[in-house]
Amino acid sequence: MNSAVNSVVNGGVSFWYADDGLPEPREPLAGDATADVVIVGGGYTGLWTAYYLKKAAPFLRITVLEQRFCGYGASGRNGGWLYNGIAGRDRYARLHGHEAAVRLQRAMNDTVAEVVRVTEEEGIDADVHAGGVLEVAYTPAQLARLKAFHEQELSYGEKDRELYGARRTAERIRVADAVGSTWTPHGARLHPVKLVKGLAAAVEALGVTIHEHTPVTEIRPKHAVTPYGTVRAPYVLRCTEGFTASLKGQRRTWLPMNSSMIATEPLTEAQWERIGWEGRETLGDMAHAYMYAQRTADGRIALGGRGVPYRFGSRTDNDGRTQPDTVEALYDILVRFFPSLAGIRVTHAWSGVLGVPRDWCATVTLDRSTGLGWAGGYVGSGVATTNLAARTLRDLVQQDSGQAGPTELTALPWVNHRVRKWEPEPLRWLGVHGMYATYRTADRRERTAPGIESSRLARLADRVAGRH
């Protein structure tokens, strides 16, 4: 094993918890209870939903049920990318028209600013730095995709996006062999755990009840069932994202896709001078099996990618532990981007799961006949999307209960979108692993035999997966 990664702290939920500490445990549910709204899941979606509902209607009795502790899942393990991407926008444009998708994109642009606003208003110090998002290309095929992506974003109304060549890219971040990039101001770096801890505290201060270490085993109309008792409420909102498959009857609803990350030791001033990155943009690329990274507040690089994409039977990991091969692969990406960092020590590695619907579209739904609602399927873009989803769930509940009428958010095209379930095993395991193996092969071909055409393998994988 590479000496730079042989002493890594592997798992322990995430580097973010190692940095900020695990939270003090909250009491589990003590028995049967009632509420006006019960929210299943104490991650970003559930906490934001509780926050906005309680702000809009302080009289509501709201209970959040969390199987481990708030932020145990993707909310405490993600890459800290607060940005304006949303899964499924292009499909929504085909289903509902281009203007509907423009409205969805405009709402996502506004959401980035909304999260920053709330952190300031609530005094949540989440290491937020609004440096935007820079996505780079380092092969001719990637550059062609990047230019097409840039033009597409402009077509959805993002007029403040900028396109750079190799020189302007290097002025921002000196990524080896980068030939171009696109930058949007609608993005920020943040510390995921500081955000989720601050949000949970803000929700409790408003009078919301949070029960941790309370796994919900079944959701049915007006009931959230746990081993310790059942919470009854007119509205039961499922906010479980990548852990949805553990609920009764939900095994094939959303596939729990793995994403893995590493964090380096803090870089020296000399190392940062060689790299640049003074703007602290979040950093991504145009590879088919893409990466994502940030410059942390304490001067590290936190970098992620897919690793082993899926565990058979929709199983989830054990406290974030990551395969050594994945750690090595992520380190190789780091050094390929920044060769001057060869030999830098990786201090932490971890994994988490994100929710992937069969058509790769994020959704928000409230079934008015049952009072059951849900939001998720963010496909890795959840740090901001959870906030928009929560405000939309708030509006749907208020509309259904007669407290308010329809709003701009309830009219967005992702509301009440339905999607078929994933295939049974072993088909979904074979399909997902085959898809990502194909993407990695396509990326290797584009690096070793450069041309401006994207690999046909990747286009085939997209069609088979149902991503386009």
Side-chain angles (χ1 to χ4, degrees):
M1 178 181 286
N2 189 318
S3 61
V5 300
N6 63 7
S7 60
V8 64
V9 176
N10 194 331
V13 188
S14 71
F15 159 74
W16 310 116
Y17 278 111
D19 179 57
D20 200 60
L22 293 172
E24 289 293 323
R26 295 176 173 88
E27 290 295 319
L29 182 69
D32 290 345
T34 61
D36 297 312
V37 180
V38 59
I39 295 170
V40 181
Y44 290 152
T45 306
L47 294 174
W48 278 125
T49 301
Y51 177 84
Y52 285 111
L53 270 172
K54 194 67 172 175
K55 281 278 197 177
F59 57 85
L60 288 177
R61 296 172 302 141
I62 301 173
T63 296
V64 177
L65 302 176
E66 164 56 42
Q67 68 167 342
R68 290 290 295 274
F69 54 81
C70 289
Y72 174 76
S75 299
R77 309 190 198 189
N78 63 79
W81 269 48
L82 176 71
Y83 87 118
N84 65 341
I86 184 167
R89 184 194 60 189
D90 294 346
R91 187 181 296 271
Y92 288 131
R94 292 194 294 272
L95 292 173
H96 301 278
H98 183 75
E99 183 51 39
V102 169
R103 289 189 287 109
L104 182 60
Q105 185 60 64
R106 190 179 301 124
M108 280 303 307
N109 296 348
D110 294 342
T111 294
V112 173
E114 168 69 6
V115 173
V116 175
R117 182 194 68 80
V118 174
T119 60
E120 294 172 349
E121 182 177 290
E122 297 293 341
I124 300 172
D125 182 4
D127 295 340
V128 176
H129 184 90
V133 183
L134 187 76
E135 292 168 280
V136 302
Y138 48 86
T139 69
Q142 284 191 22
L143 183 60
R145 286 198 298 275
L146 181 135
K147 290 179 177 178
F149 168 72
H150 178 82
E151 291 301 318
Q152 184 180 43
E153 298 309 291
L154 296 181
S155 77
Y156 284 108
E158 200 179 333
K159 302 305 182 185
D160 43 6
R161 177 175 286 272
E162 298 176 5
L163 182 67
Y164 304 139
R167 182 181 61 81
R168 290 289 305 280
T169 300
E171 289 173 357
R172 283 187 172 268
I173 308 176
R174 287 185 279 281
V175 174
D177 302 322
V179 290
S181 63
T182 180
W183 176 82
T184 175
H186 301 292
R189 172 214 73 191
L190 56 75
H191 190 299
V193 162
K194 290 181 180 180
L195 176 60
V196 78
K197 283 184 177 180
L199 188 54
V203 162
E204 282 189 312
L206 291 172
V208 172
T209 299
I210 300 176
H211 291 298
E212 295 181 328
H213 303 283
T214 305
V216 173
T217 56
E218 182 183 1
I219 294 173
R220 58 178 187 262
K222 298 180 173 55
H223 295 75
V225 182
T226 86
Y228 309 117
T230 297
V231 181
R232 294 169 174 81
Y235 297 99
V236 182
L237 307 180
R238 190 186 79 220
C239 302
T240 48
E241 182 60 357
F243 290 86
T244 300
S246 64
L247 290 165
K248 182 177 179 180
Q250 303 294 334
R251 176 72 66 182
R252 294 163 52 198
T253 299
W254 290 334
L255 184 141
M257 185 83 75
N258 288 293
S259 200
S260 300
M261 293 197 71
I262 58 173
T264 69
E265 62 186 336
L267 275 62
T268 66
E269 288 187 15
Q271 287 171 321
W272 281 122
E273 285 178 7
R274 287 193 290 271
I275 292 172
W277 214 340
E278 289 87 358
R280 290 165 175 76
E281 306 89 340
T282 56
L283 173 66
D285 71 358
M286 298 304 294
H288 300 292
Y290 53 84
M291 58 76 71
Y292 51 94
Q294 68 150 284
R295 175 177 175 170
T296 68
D298 65 346
R300 304 169 189 263
I301 295 177
L303 181 147
R306 282 292 176 263
V308 176
Y310 173 70
R311 289 177 170 83
F312 190 88
S314 293
R315 295 194 305 272
T316 55
D317 62 78
N318 179 26
D319 287 352
R321 187 158 183 84
T322 301
Q323 296 86 350
D325 287 352
T326 297
V327 180
E328 292 268 9
L330 293 174
Y331 179 79
D332 289 344
I333 293 172
L334 173 71
V335 175
R336 186 169 77 240
F337 269 56
F338 306 114
S340 66
L341 296 184
I344 193 171
R345 191 167 63 92
V346 172
T347 60
H348 294 78
W350 70 99
S351 293
V353 292
L354 48 100
V356 180
R358 188 61 183 87
D359 65 357
W360 302 73
C361 290
T363 57
V364 182
T365 297
L366 180 66
D367 185 336
R368 303 185 71 171
S369 66
T370 63
L372 297 178
W374 57 89
Y378 307 122
V379 196
S381 299
V383 179
T385 314
T386 50
N387 180 278
L388 179 60
R391 287 183 285 127
T392 306
L393 278 175
R394 172 202 61 194
D395 289 1
L396 289 169
V397 169
Q398 289 204 287
Q399 178 184 352
D400 184 70
S401 61
Q403 298 172 34
T407 68
E408 290 183 3
L409 298 186
T410 61
L412 291 174
W414 70 329
V415 174
N416 295 329
H417 175 77
R418 298 301 178 104
V419 62
R420 67 183 174 92
K421 292 183 179 293
W422 281 88
E423 292 79 2
E425 296 291 22
L427 294 178
R428 65 179 181 272
W429 187 91
L430 291 169
V432 173
H433 279 262
M435 176 183 69
Y436 274 97
T438 302
Y439 286 151
R440 286 190 286 268
T441 299
D443 286 329
R444 284 195 298 271
R445 287 189 178 182
E446 290 179 3
R447 289 197 302 270
T448 57
I452 63 170
E453 287 292 323
S454 292
S455 171
R456 293 178 181 176
L457 286 173
R459 294 199 296 271
L460 175 62
D462 283 344
R463 285 196 294 271
V464 171
R467 297 185 70 171
H468 297 294

